[in-house]
Amino acid sequence: QVQLVESGGGSVQAGGSLRLGCTASVANYMSNCMAWFREAPGKGRQAVAAISPGGGITYYADFAKGRFALSQDSAMDILYLQMNNLKPEDTAIYYCAARDSPYCGGGDVALTRRAYTEWGQGTQVTVSS
């Protein structure tokens, strides 16, 4: 079973930036459909963004458009989530997720929790006002 490990969380003031990273215990695993989710206290797990290497498509939740960006390093061994102009409501634990396919299943599926079978342990992001 693959292990996903998140990094880069921390505390930042509103308007600041953070870059989260996700690595996998299996080489070239990032060629699969990968995503970031988040979970704030008292709220359910919410999709942030997903990338479908097979389809060459990136999906973003509405709140993430224009502020967050997914990218991968040239060896596709690390998935990054660049988060800019952070707001206090972005405070949450951020999780990396994956499915065993290079395709995310289309826009109706890519940003749903049920699409993913592998999950990391999460990294805390705290944004203060």
Side-chain angles (χ1 to χ4, degrees), residues 23-49:
T23 57
S25 58
V26 175
N28 298 318
Y29 194 78
M30 299 296 167
S31 60
N32 288 313
C33 168
M34 304 291 298
W36 285 95
F37 283 72
R38 69 184 188 182
E39 189 166 338
K43 297 185 179 180
R45 196 163 294 191
Q46 177 186 39
V48 177

Side-chain angles (χ1 to χ4, degrees), residues 12-15 67 85-92 125-129:
V12 65
Q13 289 190 326
R67 296 193 300 130
N85 190 22
L86 283 162
K87 304 174 181 181
E89 52 263 43
D90 294 318
T91 295
V125 171
T126 302
V127 184
S128 59
S129 58

